[in-house]
Amino acid sequence: MHKKKIWIIVLASALIATIALAVSVDWPVLFVNGTPICQQELDLNGQSVDRVVRSHAIMEWADEAGVNEYLSYNKLLRSMEKENRERLEKKEKGEPVYGPSEYNSIQYYKKYIGDCEQGIKYQIEQTATQEDLISFYDSHLQEYRHIDTVGAEYSVWQGGVQTMQGTVQLDQYTVRGLSESSEEFVEQLLQLQPQQQIVWDVAEGVQIQLLCTHREPGTIAPFEEVAGAVSQQYAAAQFESQLEKRVMESTVWNFIKKAGGIS
């Protein structure tokens, strides 16, 4: 009886060790829509089950849409090795190599998921109708409003002495140039209301005074002017909406969580 107990303990220990070894190599710790997910791939997603599910929803969608092949973790590694060999060959030949000279698994995984996502969005853009885009534009009009027009008188003071004065106007045509000169200056202008005055310290002993002379709300940009941006934003919104549905419909079996291994 004593020997029987010992053998049971030995067998149980061996079984536990075998399972631990399998998990440490590539034993699946999850199943997403029937696809086994190993610990290494879970690590690539920061050990977040939600991120794994999102990644695989994107991968499956890209494969269905024909924009990118679905790659299992092992296939992904083989693809990365092939990519790295090709990059090394180009480098040795003196040919330009864009991006990293060699990918690691995290970089390549993110690149692959990113390529899938961009491919899907591009396909959504290409299949969107004019009616789809106009409807999206009409429902997001405030996002296409030009910056307000703000006119102001300014003066620069240094050590209590005025060293400069003038007028400035911020609008859709001048905002880029003014922002390149000083983003803080633009931010201060946008805070002003008619006849409001503000003073702020830009450096030790240096102040700028602003007096708002007028302010007009920005106009809505016509659809034709922002059609490109509308198309991209429509695709991004459609992508997130459809992806959320796919994620919610995903079947996930996390047997390590059930065993108390992952929270």
Side-chain angles (χ1 to χ4, degrees):
M1 186 68 178
H2 182 65
K3 289 183 178 180
K4 186 176 180 180
K5 287 183 177 180
I6 292 175
W7 275 110
I8 291 173
I9 293 171
V10 169
L11 287 172
S13 299
L15 180 60
I16 291 171
T18 301
I19 293 173
L21 178 62
V23 169
S24 68
V25 183
D26 57 3
W27 191 266
V29 295
L30 298 170
F31 282 88
V32 178
N33 295 332
T35 300
I37 310 298
C38 64
Q39 182 64 49
Q40 292 91 328
E41 186 172 356
L42 183 62
D43 292 342
L44 292 180
N45 286 274
Q47 298 205 357
S48 168
V49 174
D50 289 342
R51 281 174 56 183
V52 171
V53 174
R54 176 184 170 89
S55 294
H56 274 262
I58 293 173
M59 292 157 62
E60 291 170 6
W61 187 1
D63 188 66
E64 292 171 14
V67 300
N68 216 338
E69 179 188 0
Y70 183 95
L71 297 180
S72 65
Y73 177 74
N74 288 330
K75 281 187 177 180
L76 185 82
L77 291 184
R78 289 196 292 272
S79 178
M80 179 186 72
E81 291 168 359
K82 179 175 180 291
E83 173 79 18
N84 285 338
R85 285 196 302 271
E86 292 173 352
R87 286 174 170 268
L88 179 59
E89 290 172 2
K90 286 183 177 180
K91 189 176 181 181
E92 290 175 345
K93 292 177 182 178
E95 298 176 2
V97 177
Y98 302 102
S101 57
E102 182 180 25
Y103 284 104
N104 59 38
S105 57
I106 294 179
Q107 290 172 325
Y108 197 74
Y109 189 81
K110 288 181 177 179
K111 175 183 179 298
Y112 170 63
I113 299 298
D115 288 345
C116 289
E117 181 174 332
Q118 291 306 311
I120 294 168
K121 288 179 179 178
Y122 178 76
Q123 191 175 84
I124 293 173
E125 279 194 75
Q126 296 304 302
T127 56
T129 66
Q130 187 81 343
E131 289 73 18
D132 290 332
L133 299 181
I134 291 176
S135 176
F136 182 84
Y137 166 80
D138 287 340
S139 62
H140 296 77
L141 284 178
Q142 293 307 314
E143 295 182 19
Y144 306 110
R145 180 180 291 280
H146 287 304
I147 194 168
D148 287 359
T149 296
V150 181
E153 297 174 352
Y154 70 89
S155 58
V156 181
W157 296 75
Q158 188 168 6
V161 178
Q162 182 176 309
T163 59
M164 186 184 301
Q165 65 178 0
T167 60
V168 62
Q169 177 159 301
L170 174 70
D171 55 36
Q172 66 188 70
Y173 305 108
T174 62
V175 61
R176 182 174 180 178
L178 289 172
S179 295
E180 290 175 352
S181 299
S182 172
E183 290 186 1
E184 185 180 8
F185 188 60
V186 172
E187 291 173 2
Q188 294 290 346
L189 285 170
L190 287 173
Q191 294 180 29
L192 289 171
Q193 296 299 325
Q195 302 308 311
Q196 181 182 2
Q197 181 174 312
I198 59 174
V199 179
W200 90 95
D201 297 321
V202 294
E204 186 175 353
V206 181
Q207 293 180 322
I208 293 181
Q209 294 183 5
L210 285 174
L211 173 63
C212 181
T213 56
H214 64 280
R215 180 171 186 143
E216 300 169 6
T219 58
I220 302 293
F223 173 78
E224 293 75 18
E225 184 179 311
V226 292
V230 171
S231 179
Q232 292 178 357
Q233 291 165 6
Y234 169 82
Q238 286 294 309
F239 173 82
E240 290 298 334
S241 175
Q242 294 181 43
L243 178 60
E244 182 180 1
K245 184 173 183 292
R246 286 173 173 269
V247 168
M248 293 296 293
E249 293 174 350
S250 294
T251 301
V252 182
W253 193 56
N254 182 351
F255 62 83
I256 285 190
K257 181 177 181 179
K258 292 179 181 179
I262 293 179
S263 59

